[in-house]
Each structure stands twice: as structure tokens, then as C-alpha cells.
Amino acid sequence: MRAAWTTFCLFAVILVASLGLDHLLVPDIVPVAFAEEPQPSWAVMTAFFLRAVELIAGSVAMIALAVIVGGLIQRRVLAR
């Protein structure tokens, strides 16, 4: 269980850091199809990379949380 909590906390921190960097570095960048004015390519690529990191970190954190909840449920069912 300790490894699952460590994984959850680590990826939650990565998610928050990525969200913070996204809002700090590229706040007004939108997907290319929705842009009305030209956007710098570095900003679009940075926003894409940070969004990918956010999605991966969020997914791993949710999986770790599901493992934690499953372990707690299993422990309570087997204790009866």
C-alpha cells in the first residue's frame, strides 16, 4: 500500500506542476484548429507537451487511487 500512496502523491504533484507551468508559460494558446490568429509554434508544441504530461499524470494517479481503494475494500471484506 505504501508504494501505491507514493505513486499517487508523486503523480499528483507532477499533475499540479504541469498545470501550473501550462498556465504560467502558455496561458492563451488554443488548439490549432480553433485559433483565429497565428500562434507561435514553440507555444503550441509546449502546450501540447504539457497537456500530454497532465493526461498521463492524471491517469496514473487515478489508477494508483483505484489500487488503494481496492486494497482497502479487500482488507475490510477479508477482516469480517
Side-chain angles (χ1 to χ4, degrees):
M1 279 307 248
R2 187 175 180 92
W5 276 112
T6 304
T7 303
F8 173 74
C9 292
L10 174 68
F11 280 93
V13 168
I14 291 172
L15 176 63
V16 170
S18 179
L19 282 169
L21 282 174
D22 187 27
H23 289 289
L24 181 68
L25 296 177
V26 285
D28 297 328
I29 300 300
V30 295
V32 178
F34 300 120
E36 295 179 6
E37 349 180 305
Q39 302 179 72
S41 63
W42 70 268
V44 173
M45 289 187 285
T46 302
F48 178 80
F49 173 74
L50 289 172
R51 182 67 177 157
V53 170
E54 290 169 14
L55 292 173
I56 292 169
S59 299
V60 172
M62 288 182 63
I63 291 169
L65 189 59
V67 168
I68 292 168
V69 170
L72 291 174
I73 290 172
Q74 182 181 16
R75 189 176 299 162
R76 289 203 180 170
V77 168
L78 291 177
R80 290 184 184 194

